[in-house]
Amino acid sequence: MAILMKLVRNAATTFDSERKEHRRNRGRTHFYQVEGNAEHESEQLALVDAVLFSIQTISDEAQSWHERACLCADYSEGYACNYAVELDEVEDFKGLWKLVKAQVTEYAKTFGSIPTNDNYALNILGYAIAGKIVRNSNGKYELHDRVYKLAVKWKAESEERQKARAEKAAAPVEVETPAAEQTAPVQKTEGGKKIHITPETKADEIKSFRLVSPCKECPYRSDLPSYLKGWLGRERATEIARNVFDLGQSFPCHKTTEHDDRKLDQGYTYKGCESQCAGASIMQIKLGKTSAYMQVAERLGWTKEIEAMQQLDLDSPVFETVADFIEFHSR
């Protein structure tokens, strides 16, 4: 079957905002996306992104194309990430796309299968193909190892956690302490009612608020670069807003989770490595809609959680209303 992947230029969004950074970007940035046959080329589309993520832009700031990507790809629907390309980079990006397409096509024909079910393997493969392109470019392109290093770090940390869990499972079972020697539960009073805080409850007092302020790419930031407008899409942004602000659900920072964003809403099980998203938590506090987890921590006096929440930088630039959040992320 013929390869149908093609580079498509998307119309730039017209910004209603009066922010200076938005006005400065008008007419200075083009948006390109790779599209293909959803049924036969979804794996190639994923590999195209993995390769681009490991190649550096030609702008003055040393960035990978991963940092210029709107991470809203849906390979099963036939489209990859959307890239913000400055006007003086357009021709360079088009030339790079041709090289990436050729290498991905060659790999797919030679090996047939692309490891899209393993993010680590996919990123490592993308880095390897990117290295081949860079070596053959006579200095025109440069390799960027940010995503590669993250992949290696996440793999090592995952293996360490698996090893620790295996060692814990293999450890001998401790003999249960006789009832007479057990520590009596601590009693706290709230609203005239006594609340029993057992030793087991205190053991669950994990400091999950490890972030003080939103990360650079936090979707709740009100000062995100203009090329990220429409990042989540209206449907996804509305769904997140309902869960976080109406239903009081917690929102883990995506950079601290163990797997990709698409699985976060499919029964995600916390593994202890996560941090609550600072941007979401700050918005919840400012809007008076704190999460159920935050309310429970306060009612039960979980000191570590309370202290961590008090450290949140409430002056961080987050959206002032839920409507602003949804509007920014709408296409």
Side-chain angles (χ1 to χ4, degrees):
M1 175 176 288
I3 299 298
L4 303 176
M5 287 191 301
K6 60 183 178 179
L7 186 66
V8 177
R9 178 186 168 189
N10 295 326
T13 306
T14 300
F15 297 106
D16 297 325
S17 172
E18 292 302 317
R19 291 180 181 274
K20 291 182 180 179
E21 61 268 27
H22 288 178
R23 294 201 299 270
R24 284 198 299 268
N25 280 297
R26 290 175 183 169
R28 298 176 58 185
T29 305
H30 286 177
F31 297 88
Y32 286 94
Q33 188 170 44
V34 179
E35 297 182 357
N37 185 300
E39 183 177 355
H40 303 287
E41 296 181 322
S42 60
E43 291 186 345
Q44 288 94 314
L45 290 171
L47 185 53
V48 164
D49 279 343
V51 176
L52 287 173
F53 288 170
S54 291
I55 295 180
Q56 187 165 302
T57 67
I58 64 169
S59 62
D60 295 334
E61 184 178 359
Q63 294 179 314
S64 73
W65 282 109
H66 178 266
E67 293 169 279
R68 292 283 198 87
C70 174
L71 305 179
C72 54
D74 191 336
Y75 307 118
S76 64
E77 291 295 325
Y79 60 88
C81 289
N82 204 27
Y83 293 91
V85 184
E86 296 178 4
L87 293 187
D88 60 352
E89 299 175 313
V90 168
E91 294 305 315
D92 175 83
F93 187 79
K94 288 180 179 178
L96 176 60
W97 149 245
K98 292 179 181 178
L99 296 176
V100 173
K101 178 181 180 181
Q103 289 296 327
V104 170
T105 301
E106 179 183 351
Y107 182 91
K109 288 182 177 179
T110 303
F111 297 98
S113 178
I114 295 172
T116 53
N117 60 338
D118 184 339
N119 283 338
Y120 169 77
L122 181 64
N123 285 325
I124 297 301
L125 175 59
Y127 184 78
I129 294 177
K132 182 178 180 181
I133 292 173
V134 169
R135 287 193 298 273
N136 294 331
S137 71
N138 295 320
K140 184 175 182 179
Y141 301 110
E142 294 184 30
L143 201 61
H144 200 292
D145 61 3
R146 175 176 176 269
V147 173
Y148 169 80
K149 287 182 176 179
L150 285 175
V152 172
K153 178 183 177 182
W154 291 336
K155 182 72 171 179
E157 291 177 348
S158 178
E159 291 176 348
E160 283 295 321
R161 285 191 291 272
Q162 291 177 3
K163 180 180 177 182
R165 285 195 290 268
E167 291 175 349
K168 183 177 180 180
V173 179
E174 295 182 1
V175 179
E176 185 176 354
T177 305
E181 298 179 13
Q182 290 181 353
T183 304
V186 178
Q187 292 187 345
K188 292 190 177 183
T189 303
E190 180 184 331
K193 296 181 179 180
K194 291 183 178 180
I195 301 175
H196 295 276
I197 310 298
T198 66
E200 290 74 17
T201 305
K202 297 295 287 183
D204 291 334
E205 195 176 318
I206 58 172
K207 187 177 180 180
S208 65
F209 288 88
R210 297 185 177 89
L211 299 177
V212 174
S213 59
C215 60
K216 184 174 68 173
E217 298 174 349
C218 178
Y220 298 91
R221 291 187 71 109
S222 58
D223 62 347
L224 287 170
S226 58
Y227 61 79
L228 287 180
K229 187 166 185 178
W231 169 12
L232 298 174
R234 177 173 290 273
E235 183 178 350
R236 176 61 175 150
T238 302
E239 179 187 9
I240 289 176
R242 178 175 179 273
N243 291 338
V244 174
F245 303 115
D246 292 340
L247 301 181
Q249 295 182 4
S250 298
F251 191 87
C253 174
H254 291 35
K255 291 186 176 181
T256 64
T257 57
E258 282 196 337
H259 47 55
D260 64 63
D261 299 352
R262 291 171 292 178
K263 296 180 180 178
L264 284 179
D265 295 329
Q266 301 175 11
Y268 181 72
T269 301
Y270 281 76
K271 300 174 176 62
C273 61
E274 301 84 359
S275 171
Q276 296 298 316
C277 170
S281 300
I282 291 170
M283 270 197 73
Q284 287 175 324
I285 292 173
K286 285 189 170 183
L287 295 176
K289 298 182 177 182
T290 52
S291 70
Y293 180 77
M294 295 164 77
Q295 294 178 42
V296 169
E298 290 179 344
R299 287 199 298 268
L300 297 185
W302 291 353
T303 54
K304 291 183 180 179
E305 296 292 48
I306 294 172
E307 290 173 0
M309 285 187 281
Q310 291 173 342
Q311 294 298 316
L312 289 169
D313 182 6
L314 298 182
D315 293 326
S316 298
V318 297
F319 291 104
E320 294 183 1
T321 67
V322 175
D324 290 342
F325 169 78
I326 295 175
E327 180 61 29
F328 181 88
H329 288 291
S330 299
R331 297 188 180 184

